[in-house]
Amino acid sequence: MENERLTFIDRMIKGKWIGKLLLTVIVLFAVWGVGNKAIHNPQLFIQQIINGLQLGFVYALIALGYTMVYGIVRLINFAHGDVFMVGAMVSYFAVGSFHLHQWPAAAFPGLPNFISLLIGTISVILLSMAICAILAVTIERIAYKPLRNAPRISALITAIGVSFFLEYFGALPFVFTPNFITYKRPYEIVTWYIKDGIHRLEAGKAPPQGGILFSNNLIIIILVTVLLLLSLTYIVQKTKIGKAMRASAYDKPTSRLMGINVDGIISITFALGAALAGAAGVLYATAYPQVFFWMGIIPGLKAFIAAVLGGIGSIPGAFVGALIMGQAEVLAAGYISTPMRDAIAFSILILVLLVRPTGIYGEPEREKA
Amino acid sequence: MLLEVQDLNVYYGAIHALQGISFSINQGEIVTLIGANGAGKSTTLNTISGILRPRSGKVIFKDRDITLTPAEEIVRLGICQSPEGRKIFATLTVMENLEMGAFTQTDKNEINRSLERVFRSFPRLKERQNQLGGTLSGGEQQMLAIGRALMSHPQLLLLDEPSMGLSPILVEEIFNIIQEINAQGTSILLVEQNAQMALSVAHRGYVLETGRIVLSGDSTDLMNNPQVAKAYLGAH
């Protein structure tokens, strides 16, 4: 196409002007709106940021699975959100039916309450992670591996199919039932507020005006997420398996020439991503204590948007994208209206795809020889 | 006989890429496959490496049929390839690229010995070990590709077009190192379009034309063969 022949409108579309303009307007509007509110009521603003942090960290754990799997097999694994749901469900049964969180107290009665609950909670998280990892590897072997050389759209449609399967299999009366289930946390929620120092909020009492609330749940979510992120970074950067993951993501045939079992590495990638989603499922359920067979859809989509925003395929991108998503959502819910949170999330996806489809950390797709 | 290829037939869909190729490599030899673009040289190497599957024919390595052995197992048995176009992992450091070459090795001491050997052959790689593979120059990438393949401690090294895209001085350097590697006991199957260079270092050679071997013999004989001289060495 000759350049001079382009009409004004064509050039606007090619230069992504519309998207950039929209983005600028929205960002300015949001900064002005949020800034205005923040000055009027700084406590509320800080409270929102804290709530957003909690959500963002959970999204980060889910988003990592999307981004890692995409990095190595170029597949958007839409069943990932449902693996997250299974993680939450596993912990529900582990805590509610099998009292797994109480095993340290039963085995070592002398242990202080705090320590035995901590070990018990970690056991619950580890169990969810393990079962999700096994589930994801099974899915990969049965559903995705036979399609490794098929067109990408086939694998994508299969992923959507697997997602529906997990949801409606979960909805069966003898599996998770189609009901909303109240989640039983392995530990009691303890809330503190910051107002002239840190005070513990007595159960059943209303928080005082102007205090900033935070709970032990927030601390646990941040600690677990940071710990898992550091472990993942170590695995990907320093271990032989992690290096083989990066090599396979870059060039599969050459990796095979080096003697790397690429199929095995792909399975490990699925397992790692699913384990993180399993942990996210437990943490999400402790923060928003209700589990049901559809609970994975919306957090899964949000985490997917976070991964796209950060640049799909990039691990730091997924983390940064998730933190931004968490804040955007909570601020939208807090300052505009609660239903706006989903509208904002999907607007972010559309804007990213319009303006910078490769996301924050993403690089343009390489042409492979 | 280290490697024996018997009547290999390979297809890409309907295209008959290798049409009954047979050749052999003895322990300690450098054998070269020369031929024009599209003659089937890389196809031959990738079939030996287990990336491509032949429709018929056999690949026998140390008296063992490896025709259907998985690629990663073939590396473990002692065949490693430095692929055409170098195929460095651009997002990994030089050191990590070398570690990937040693993926099948489990003995730490053995890996360190291989690493020392590679760094002795290619001191430039040692200087750049923490740089990303993608930032190396073409010649350095070729060194890395060969070094990476050597890290698996192969008995048979498959080299696909090591001279591609390099300046004559670098080609000279790379071919000296190839001879050095061979002198240390590694047998080499060298695929080249640069027939002059390839025949000057190889003991024996085979000439491939559209999926068939049309000539074979000692390098000196091939070099003096008027047909080869006309088609591949630029003589008139």
Side-chain angles (χ1 to χ4, degrees):
Chain A
M1 201 193 296
E2 288 168 47
N3 256 351
E4 336 44 301
R5 290 270 179 92
L6 288 176
T7 64
F8 180 67
I9 300 286
D10 283 337
R11 256 179 279 158
M12 265 177 52
I13 293 171
K14 253 194 137 179
K16 299 173 180 169
W17 284 10
I18 301 169
K20 281 175 189 163
L21 199 73
L22 256 172
L23 186 71
T24 320
V25 170
I26 291 175
V27 167
L28 283 178
F29 196 71
V31 169
W32 178 74
V34 170
N36 210 359
K37 298 244 166 82
I39 292 164
H40 280 290
N41 189 347
Q43 282 93 357
L44 181 64
F45 178 69
I46 295 171
Q47 186 69 62
Q48 303 285 16
I49 295 289
I50 289 178
N51 295 345
L53 216 55
Q54 175 166 319
L55 195 60
F57 270 79
V58 175
Y59 285 164
L61 284 179
I62 314 174
L64 284 167
Y66 276 110
T67 224
M68 285 163 63
V69 164
Y70 183 84
I72 201 159
V73 284
R74 307 279 147 186
L75 163 73
I76 304 292
N77 179 14
F78 275 119
H80 193 60
D82 302 294
V83 172
F84 157 87
M85 176 270 291
V86 170
M89 286 294 182
V90 166
S91 75
Y92 165 75
F93 285 111
V95 173
S97 309
F98 299 101
H99 308 291
L100 179 69
H101 61 297
Q102 285 167 349
W103 77 263
F108 312 102
L111 233 49
N113 200 23
F114 169 73
I115 305 251
S116 65
L117 262 186
L118 183 71
I119 298 174
T121 306
I122 291 172
S123 317
V124 172
I125 294 177
L126 287 178
L127 177 74
S128 282
M129 290 173 76
I131 291 187
C132 286
I134 294 168
L135 174 68
V137 172
T138 315
I139 293 171
E140 194 266 326
R141 282 285 148 105
I142 295 174
Y144 302 149
K145 195 180 165 199
L147 295 171
R148 190 78 27 92
N149 298 318
R152 267 200 235 169
I153 191 79
S154 311
L156 189 73
I157 293 168
T158 307
I160 296 171
V162 172
S163 166
F164 281 138
F165 171 78
L166 289 178
E167 284 159 21
Y168 291 101
F169 185 77
L172 290 175
F174 52 89
V175 189
F176 306 140
T177 76
N179 307 320
F180 289 83
I181 307 166
T182 305
Y183 185 79
K184 188 177 174 308
R185 296 187 184 90
Y187 47 85
E188 294 300 316
I189 287 282
V190 182
T191 311
W192 293 274
Y193 63 93
I194 306 174
K195 192 185 183 189
D196 316 319
I198 297 173
H199 311 280
R200 187 170 167 165
L201 187 70
E202 301 299 330
K205 275 195 178 170
Q209 271 292 312
I212 296 161
L213 291 168
F214 67 97
S215 67
N216 56 348
N217 230 345
L218 172 74
I219 299 169
I220 290 172
I221 287 178
I222 291 179
L223 279 183
V224 171
T225 308
V226 169
L227 202 69
L228 289 174
L229 275 175
L230 290 178
S231 325
L232 180 73
T233 310
Y234 176 79
I235 292 174
V236 171
Q237 293 300 329
K238 297 289 174 204
T239 66
K240 192 167 161 181
I241 295 291
K243 288 168 193 169
M245 279 167 66
R246 286 186 283 138
S248 304
Y250 186 78
D251 184 344
K252 277 182 216 41
T254 306
S255 299
R256 293 185 63 205
L257 281 182
M258 295 304 117
I260 297 170
N261 175 359
V262 174
D263 283 330
I265 295 293
I266 289 172
S267 291
I268 293 172
T269 310
F270 269 87
L272 280 178
L276 295 179
V282 183
L283 297 177
Y284 189 84
T286 58
Y288 312 96
Q290 196 175 46
V291 289
F292 58 106
F293 72 104
W294 261 0
M295 68 177 284
I297 299 177
I298 289 295
L301 283 176
K302 302 271 178 68
F304 164 64
I305 297 169
V308 172
L309 171 62
I312 192 136
S314 154
I315 288 178
F319 183 62
V320 171
L323 289 187
I324 296 176
M325 281 292 294
Q327 296 302 344
E329 224 183 87
V330 166
L331 290 176
Y335 287 135
I336 308 172
S337 74
T338 313
M340 271 305 279
R341 60 195 313 173
D342 294 350
I344 288 285
F346 293 107
S347 307
I348 290 178
L349 177 64
I350 293 169
L351 274 178
V352 171
L353 293 180
L354 273 178
V355 178
R356 192 175 156 84
T358 53
I360 298 171
Y361 282 76
E363 283 163 24
E365 188 92 337
R366 273 176 305 111
E367 287 294 324
K368 273 188 196 159
Chain B
M1 201 100 64
L2 185 66
L3 182 90
E4 197 178 355
V5 171
Q6 298 172 350
D7 197 26
L8 215 52
N9 281 285
V10 178
Y11 289 75
Y12 290 113
I15 299 161
H16 197 173
L18 293 187
Q19 306 174 8
I21 280 189
S22 302
F23 64 92
S24 64
I25 301 166
N26 295 315
Q27 186 75 46
E29 264 187 327
I30 301 182
V31 171
T32 182
L33 290 179
I34 55 178
N37 221 350
K41 300 173 305 232
S42 297
T43 307
T44 310
L45 288 197
N46 283 335
T47 311
I48 297 172
S49 281
I51 296 286
L52 291 173
R53 290 274 173 253
R55 195 168 290 181
S56 65
K58 272 184 184 170
V59 182
I60 291 164
F61 180 62
K62 293 195 290 183
D63 300 326
R64 184 178 158 174
D65 187 347
I66 60 162
T67 320
L68 297 174
T69 309
E72 54 266 20
E73 187 58 33
I74 289 175
V75 177
R76 209 163 281 136
L77 289 173
I79 302 181
C80 198
Q81 188 188 143
S82 158
E84 183 180 3
R86 311 187 262 271
K87 299 287 167 65
I88 294 305
F89 299 120
T91 49
L92 271 63
T93 65
V94 169
M95 192 57 161
E96 287 170 341
N97 268 283
L98 292 173
E99 285 172 41
M100 286 301 101
F103 190 82
T104 51
Q105 305 294 303
T106 44
D107 183 351
K108 276 251 162 67
N109 296 326
E110 191 64 46
I111 293 174
N112 282 335
R113 266 200 296 280
S114 302
L115 196 61
E116 269 169 42
R117 183 173 154 214
V118 169
F119 282 157
R120 224 179 304 125
S121 300
F122 306 104
R124 203 96 59 88
L125 295 182
K126 190 171 188 175
E127 291 164 29
R128 315 218 153 189
Q129 52 179 296
N130 295 321
Q131 235 171 284
L132 286 184
T135 64
L136 297 184
S137 72
E140 290 162 347
Q141 287 197 1
Q142 186 57 59
M143 295 175 188
L144 180 54
I146 297 175
R148 185 177 62 178
L150 284 176
M151 287 298 290
S152 70
H153 209 86
Q155 281 169 277
L156 176 62
L157 179 64
L158 311 179
L159 294 176
D160 199 347
E161 303 271 6
S163 74
M164 194 163 92
L166 299 185
S167 70
I169 298 171
L170 271 172
V171 172
E172 193 89 34
E173 195 181 330
I174 296 276
F175 274 80
N176 282 338
I177 293 166
I178 290 173
Q179 276 181 307
E180 236 172 73
I181 292 165
N182 177 246
Q184 288 164 15
T186 310
S187 310
I188 293 172
L189 176 57
L190 173 65
V191 154
E192 261 299 343
Q193 283 195 55
N194 185 341
Q196 178 90 53
M197 257 342 258
L199 288 174
S200 72
V201 299
H203 302 107
R204 290 189 300 119
Y206 294 87
V207 180
L208 264 176
E209 242 167 52
T210 55
R212 282 197 189 89
I213 287 176
V214 291
L215 270 175
S216 65
D218 286 344
S219 301
T220 38
D221 295 345
L222 282 179
M223 247 193 274
N224 296 328
N225 183 312
Q227 229 179 313
V228 174
K230 188 160 178 237
Y232 301 105
L233 304 176
H236 296 286

